Short mmCIF file of all heavy atoms in Angstrom, two decimals:
data_model
loop_
_atom_site.label_atom_id
_atom_site.label_comp_id
_atom_site.label_asym_id
_atom_site.label_seq_id
_atom_site.Cartn_x
_atom_site.Cartn_y
_atom_site.Cartn_z
N LYS A 253 -134.58 34.26 46.16
CA LYS A 253 -134.18 35.69 46.30
C LYS A 253 -132.91 35.68 47.15
O LYS A 253 -132.88 35.20 48.30
CB LYS A 253 -135.26 36.41 46.95
CG LYS A 253 -134.94 37.97 47.10
CD LYS A 253 -136.12 38.73 47.62
CE LYS A 253 -135.78 40.28 47.76
NZ LYS A 253 -136.86 40.99 48.42
N ALA A 254 -131.84 36.33 46.65
CA ALA A 254 -130.59 36.39 47.30
C ALA A 254 -130.74 37.28 48.57
O ALA A 254 -131.42 38.28 48.59
CB ALA A 254 -129.52 36.93 46.42
N SER A 255 -129.91 36.91 49.61
CA SER A 255 -129.84 37.70 50.76
C SER A 255 -128.90 38.92 50.59
O SER A 255 -128.16 38.94 49.64
CB SER A 255 -129.43 36.92 51.99
OG SER A 255 -128.15 36.26 51.70
N ILE A 256 -128.89 39.83 51.55
CA ILE A 256 -128.03 41.00 51.46
C ILE A 256 -126.58 40.59 51.46
O ILE A 256 -126.17 39.73 52.24
CB ILE A 256 -128.30 41.99 52.50
CG1 ILE A 256 -129.83 42.38 52.47
CG2 ILE A 256 -127.43 43.20 52.47
CD1 ILE A 256 -130.24 43.32 53.63
N ALA A 257 -125.81 41.27 50.64
CA ALA A 257 -124.39 40.97 50.59
C ALA A 257 -123.66 41.20 51.98
O ALA A 257 -123.99 42.08 52.66
CB ALA A 257 -123.71 41.80 49.49
N ASN A 258 -122.67 40.25 52.27
CA ASN A 258 -121.94 40.36 53.46
C ASN A 258 -120.77 41.41 53.26
O ASN A 258 -120.65 42.13 52.25
CB ASN A 258 -121.46 39.03 53.93
CG ASN A 258 -120.68 38.37 52.93
OD1 ASN A 258 -120.10 38.96 52.05
ND2 ASN A 258 -120.57 37.02 52.98
N ALA A 259 -119.91 41.47 54.30
CA ALA A 259 -118.79 42.40 54.22
C ALA A 259 -117.88 42.10 53.07
O ALA A 259 -117.16 43.01 52.53
CB ALA A 259 -117.98 42.37 55.56
N ASP A 260 -117.82 40.83 52.58
CA ASP A 260 -116.96 40.50 51.51
C ASP A 260 -117.57 40.72 50.13
O ASP A 260 -117.03 40.36 49.09
CB ASP A 260 -116.55 39.00 51.57
CG ASP A 260 -115.73 38.76 52.89
OD1 ASP A 260 -115.05 39.65 53.29
OD2 ASP A 260 -115.89 37.67 53.37
N GLY A 261 -118.78 41.28 50.13
CA GLY A 261 -119.43 41.58 48.88
C GLY A 261 -120.11 40.37 48.26
O GLY A 261 -120.31 40.39 47.05
N GLU A 262 -120.39 39.39 49.06
CA GLU A 262 -120.97 38.14 48.52
C GLU A 262 -122.49 38.03 48.90
O GLU A 262 -122.83 38.38 50.09
CB GLU A 262 -120.25 36.89 49.02
CG GLU A 262 -118.91 36.69 48.38
CD GLU A 262 -118.27 35.41 48.70
OE1 GLU A 262 -118.63 34.82 49.83
OE2 GLU A 262 -117.40 34.89 47.99
N ASN A 263 -123.27 37.57 48.03
CA ASN A 263 -124.68 37.33 48.32
C ASN A 263 -124.85 35.83 48.61
O ASN A 263 -124.17 35.04 48.04
CB ASN A 263 -125.62 37.68 47.10
CG ASN A 263 -125.69 39.16 46.92
OD1 ASN A 263 -125.55 39.92 47.84
ND2 ASN A 263 -125.76 39.59 45.70
N LYS A 264 -125.76 35.45 49.51
CA LYS A 264 -126.12 34.07 49.70
C LYS A 264 -127.36 33.81 48.94
O LYS A 264 -128.48 34.36 49.23
CB LYS A 264 -126.39 33.80 51.25
CG LYS A 264 -125.10 33.71 52.04
CD LYS A 264 -125.42 33.25 53.46
CE LYS A 264 -124.09 33.17 54.25
NZ LYS A 264 -124.36 32.62 55.66
N VAL A 265 -127.24 32.97 47.90
CA VAL A 265 -128.31 32.71 46.99
C VAL A 265 -128.86 31.37 47.25
O VAL A 265 -128.24 30.32 47.22
CB VAL A 265 -127.78 32.74 45.46
CG1 VAL A 265 -128.95 32.42 44.56
CG2 VAL A 265 -127.12 33.99 45.23
N PRO A 266 -130.19 31.33 47.76
CA PRO A 266 -130.87 30.03 48.00
C PRO A 266 -131.17 29.27 46.75
O PRO A 266 -131.65 29.82 45.79
CB PRO A 266 -132.06 30.45 48.80
CG PRO A 266 -132.40 31.78 48.31
CD PRO A 266 -131.04 32.45 48.00
N VAL A 267 -130.88 27.95 46.76
CA VAL A 267 -131.11 27.15 45.64
C VAL A 267 -131.85 25.84 46.01
O VAL A 267 -131.50 25.24 47.02
CB VAL A 267 -129.83 26.77 44.83
CG1 VAL A 267 -130.17 25.95 43.60
CG2 VAL A 267 -129.04 28.02 44.49
N ALA A 268 -132.91 25.46 45.27
CA ALA A 268 -133.52 24.17 45.57
C ALA A 268 -133.28 23.28 44.36
O ALA A 268 -133.57 23.66 43.17
CB ALA A 268 -135.01 24.33 45.75
#
Side-chain angles (χ1 to χ4, degrees):
K253 185 178 179 180
S255 59
I256 301 176
N258 56 24
D260 298 329
E262 287 186 337
N263 292 327
K264 286 187 176 182
V265 180
V267 182

